[in-house]
């Protein structure tokens, strides 16, 4: 498979037509497991981005007139094609992201499920009648924006590429998709597969090395709606750049420094399993904005839970991402690896203790492999407790009462997810209500439930996804008053 990837010529799917980037520009895509060049991908110029947007503007005019049920049928057809190419897409993601291929099979399946979910939502695109006056007719309609930019990160390439075009397409928009420059391959392949299903101009994929292509997309005057997933720093850049050229609707799903609280009455063994699952060690090497990377243990149960967590972590098989037995692969890039290692060093310098991991797995001298790492003796206010690592580094803190737990949990700039473990219903509901987070699990972690709105508060973003709210966010509401 890796030879086939290296030997093929990757092209830009621009509105259904396959072509190289301007002047044949390409850049190297690295395999993080080997640190070797995997292949070359198109390096889109601003002119390439402009063509993709212009084609999308033409495609959007026709696509918005297509019956919503037919749009839903096209999304379902795309989901089926994705399922039919599951092995190929999962392997592409394993090769250029480092995520385990077995986990990427789940990402493929979930991306297809979300396409089906938004096809199910077709009838929710209607408006309402409003009794604003007794003698007249007042109603609302929902209309698509036109051209939508979807900019997605490297940690779940095919899942984000497929699932994040679902809502804007269902709403009647044309989409220009920009994947991470680290992991462009499955998105490019998705664009090729979609060309036989979606009308011309409705979906384009642009890839590029560095921020130039994304910046050109954000600043394009015909792009009126932007959906971004990534860091809070880049989210702020997108807000600023977009504002320079006009007023645009922007949704941001950004970082997290998420707290998982274990109360003294919790099922402690289940909580320990939930803690390890919540860090997403075995899905994306902890490179997940929703990871519960701050574990808050009641002091009376801290030792018991921590020992169980360490037992679980020690059994995670780390290895080649294309090996079906691997549950944890390498980090996605040298930059991600260096960042995670630097935060471990910062944490220990500030007084934290490495209870497990902290370095390369034995025998893995090549690739961006880092052991699952558990830090203890972490205190509120440490950088490791405040800042997102986006890697396999978990911080463990203790608390003596629930008010203290809430203060620690809410004492960061982020507010994406949270998790509460307790057998007491009143405690569970109270803590869930008090947590400054957009998505909370009670006696659970990590899992997403399609249809439940996912998104954060504070620096974790604006807007909600995976739900009706996401679909409606890709429409504009028009009020019509019929005077009789």
């Amino acid at each position: 498979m890796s030879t086939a990837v290296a030997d093929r010529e990757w092209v830009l799917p621009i509105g259904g037509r396959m072509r190289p980037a301007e002047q044949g520009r390409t850049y190297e895509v690295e395999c993080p497991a080997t640190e070797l060049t995997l292949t070359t991908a198109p390096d889109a110029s601003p002119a390439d981005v402009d063509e993709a947007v212009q084609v999308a503007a033409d495609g959007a005019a026709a696509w918005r007139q297509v019956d919503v049920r037919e749009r839903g049928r096209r999304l379902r057809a795309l989901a089926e094609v994705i399922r039919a190419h599951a092995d190929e897409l999962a392997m592409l993601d394993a090769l250029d992201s480092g995520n385990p291929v077995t986990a990427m099979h789940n990402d493929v399946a979930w991306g297809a499920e979300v396409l089906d979910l938004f096809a199910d939502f077709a009838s929710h695109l209607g408006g309402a009648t409003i009794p604003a006056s007794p003698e007249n007719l007042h109603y609302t309609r929902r209309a698509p924006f036109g051209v939508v930019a979807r900019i997605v990160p490297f940690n779940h390439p095919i899942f984000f590429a497929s699932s994040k075009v679902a809502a804007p397409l269902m709403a009647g928009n044309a989409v220009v998709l920009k994947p991470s420059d680290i992991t462009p391959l499955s998105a490019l392949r998705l664009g090729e597969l979609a060309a036989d299903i979606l009308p011309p101009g409705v979906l384009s994929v642009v890839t590029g090395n560095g921020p130039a292509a994304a910046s050109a997309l954000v600043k394009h005057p015909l792009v009126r709606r932007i959906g971004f997933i990534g860091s809070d720093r880049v989210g702020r850049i997108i807000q600023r750049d977009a504002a320079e050229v006009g007023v645009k609707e922007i949704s941001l799903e950004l970082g997290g420094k998420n707290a998982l609280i274990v109360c003294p009455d919790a099922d402690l063994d289940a909580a320990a399993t939930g803690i390890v699952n919540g860090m997403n060690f075995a899905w994306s090497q902890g490179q997940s904005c929703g990871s519960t990377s701050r574990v808050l243990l009641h002091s009376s149960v801290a030792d018991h839970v921590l020992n169980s967590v360490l037992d679980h972590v020690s059994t995670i098989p780390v290895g080649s991402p294309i090996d079906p037995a691997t549950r944890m692969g390498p980090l996605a890039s040298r930059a991600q690896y260096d960042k995670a290692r630097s935060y471990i060093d910062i944490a220990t310098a500030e007084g934290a203790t490495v209870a497990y991991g902290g370095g390369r797995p034995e025998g893995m001298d090549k690739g961006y492999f880092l052991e699952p790492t558990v830090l203890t003796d972490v205190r509120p206010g440490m950088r490791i407790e405040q800042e997102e690592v986006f890697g396999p580094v978990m911080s463990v803190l203790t608390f003596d009462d629930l008010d203290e737990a809430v203060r620690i949990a809410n004492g960061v700039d982020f507010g994406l997810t949270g998790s509460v473990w307790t057998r007491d219903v009143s405690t569970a509901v109270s803590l869930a209500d008090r947590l400054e987070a957009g998505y909370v699990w009670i006696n659970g972690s990590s899992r997403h439930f399609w249809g439940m709105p996912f998104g954060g508060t504070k620096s974790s973003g604006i807007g909600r996804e995976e739900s009706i709210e996401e679909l409606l966010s890709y429409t504009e509401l028009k009020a019509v008053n019929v005077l009789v």
Side-chain angles (χ1 to χ4, degrees):
M1 177 67 187
S2 59
T3 302
V5 171
D7 290 345
R8 70 169 293 172
E9 180 182 359
W10 294 93
V11 293
L12 295 173
I14 302 295
R17 185 170 68 89
M18 309 300 139
R19 67 164 183 80
E22 183 184 36
Q23 298 179 349
R25 295 170 16 146
T26 62
Y27 71 97
E28 293 182 349
V29 177
E30 186 182 36
C31 175
T34 64
E35 303 182 41
L36 300 175
T37 298
L38 177 64
T39 187
T40 59
D43 189 8
S45 68
D48 294 318
V49 173
D50 179 64
E51 180 181 343
V53 174
Q54 297 288 348
V55 168
D58 293 338
W63 181 241
R64 67 183 295 160
Q65 300 300 325
V66 173
D67 179 80
V68 292
R69 297 175 188 81
E70 177 58 24
R71 294 204 296 259
R73 283 191 284 270
R74 299 292 182 99
L75 261 63
R76 293 188 196 282
L78 182 57
E80 287 307 307
V81 167
I82 288 170
R83 292 184 180 104
H85 289 81
D87 290 344
E88 176 189 5
L89 294 167
M91 184 60 73
L92 289 174
D93 277 3
L95 288 169
D96 70 358
S97 78
N99 293 342
V101 68
T102 49
M104 293 304 92
H105 271 280
N106 289 334
D107 273 17
V108 172
W110 292 335
E113 285 181 18
V114 174
L115 282 162
D116 284 340
L117 173 74
F118 281 96
D120 292 341
F121 287 163
S123 62
H124 291 273
L125 284 166
T129 57
I130 300 169
S133 68
E135 69 275 13
N136 301 305
L137 172 63
H138 308 272
Y139 65 92
T140 60
R141 297 191 65 181
R142 292 194 173 272
F145 284 90
V147 181
V148 167
R150 279 308 253 140
I151 304 171
V152 297
F154 62 80
N155 51 332
H156 299 288
I158 188 57
F159 171 70
F160 284 139
S162 54
S163 68
K164 300 311 174 184
V165 302
L169 289 176
M170 190 63 241
N173 301 283
V175 179
V176 181
L177 174 67
K178 169 61 177 67
S180 168
D181 54 359
I182 299 173
T183 55
L185 302 183
S186 60
L188 290 171
R189 184 64 176 126
L190 175 69
E192 294 175 351
L193 296 172
D196 294 329
I197 297 167
L198 299 174
V202 172
L203 178 63
S204 296
V205 181
V206 292
T207 58
N209 190 26
S215 180
L217 191 54
V218 166
K219 293 181 178 180
H220 200 290
L222 291 181
V223 174
R224 298 188 48 242
R225 174 73 169 90
I226 301 166
F228 171 74
I229 303 174
S231 72
D232 61 313
R233 181 187 65 82
V234 176
R236 291 193 298 271
I237 292 172
I238 287 174
Q239 287 180 309
R240 182 195 66 207
D241 288 354
E244 290 180 358
V245 295
V247 177
K248 299 173 185 277
E249 185 83 10
I250 302 174
S251 57
L252 305 170
E253 199 257 270
L254 306 176
K257 195 66 181 179
N258 311 296
L260 183 153
I261 300 172
V262 179
C263 299
D265 68 332
D267 180 333
L268 301 183
D269 291 336
T273 300
I275 287 167
V276 178
N277 290 341
M279 258 308 296
N280 297 307
F281 287 126
W283 185 22
S284 58
Q285 298 72 251
Q287 298 169 124
S288 175
C289 53
S291 292
T292 44
S293 56
R294 291 185 301 148
V295 175
L296 280 56
L297 304 177
H298 191 274
S299 55
S300 66
V301 299
D303 289 344
H304 178 92
V305 176
L306 177 60
N307 288 333
S308 184
V309 166
L310 297 178
D311 287 341
H312 283 296
V313 170
S314 68
T315 66
I316 297 174
V318 182
S320 168
I322 64 174
D323 183 345
T326 293
R327 291 182 60 212
M328 183 174 168
L331 277 74
S333 67
R334 166 66 67 181
Q336 289 301 118
Y337 175 81
D338 289 344
K339 180 183 177 184
R341 289 295 300 266
S342 71
Y343 268 102
I344 296 170
D345 292 340
I346 290 167
T348 55
E350 291 186 343
T353 300
V354 178
Y356 188 88
R360 279 186 174 274
E362 186 176 351
M364 294 184 179
D365 299 325
K366 271 297 201 182
Y368 306 127
F369 292 94
L370 181 61
E371 294 171 302
T373 300
V374 179
L375 300 175
T376 56
D377 300 317
V378 176
R379 301 183 307 276
M382 286 181 171
R383 285 186 62 186
I384 194 64
E385 193 265 339
Q386 291 283 308
E387 300 173 14
E388 185 181 41
V389 178
F390 214 68
V393 183
M394 174 198 298
S395 299
V396 178
L397 301 90
T398 60
F399 65 92
D400 293 317
D401 62 69
L402 295 183
D403 289 340
E404 181 187 9
V406 171
R407 284 195 302 272
I408 295 171
N410 292 341
V412 296
D413 289 336
F414 299 102
L416 186 54
T417 72
S419 177
V420 175
W421 292 78
T422 177
R423 287 186 169 97
D424 184 86
V425 173
S426 296
T427 298
V429 173
S430 174
L431 285 177
D433 186 57
R434 296 172 68 188
L435 287 179
E436 295 172 351
Y439 202 88
V440 178
W441 298 278
I442 295 173
N443 296 327
S445 63
S446 184
R447 183 180 174 188
H448 288 217
F449 297 87
W450 313 134
M452 287 294 289
F454 184 83
T457 63
K458 302 193 287 188
S459 291
S460 288
I462 303 168
R464 296 295 182 268
E465 300 191 336
E466 303 171 4
S467 60
I468 287 289
E469 287 80 3
E470 181 181 2
L471 176 65
L472 298 183
S473 79
Y474 285 94
T475 66
E476 294 183 291
L477 195 63
K478 176 182 292 188
V480 180
N481 303 281
V482 182
L483 306 184
V484 295

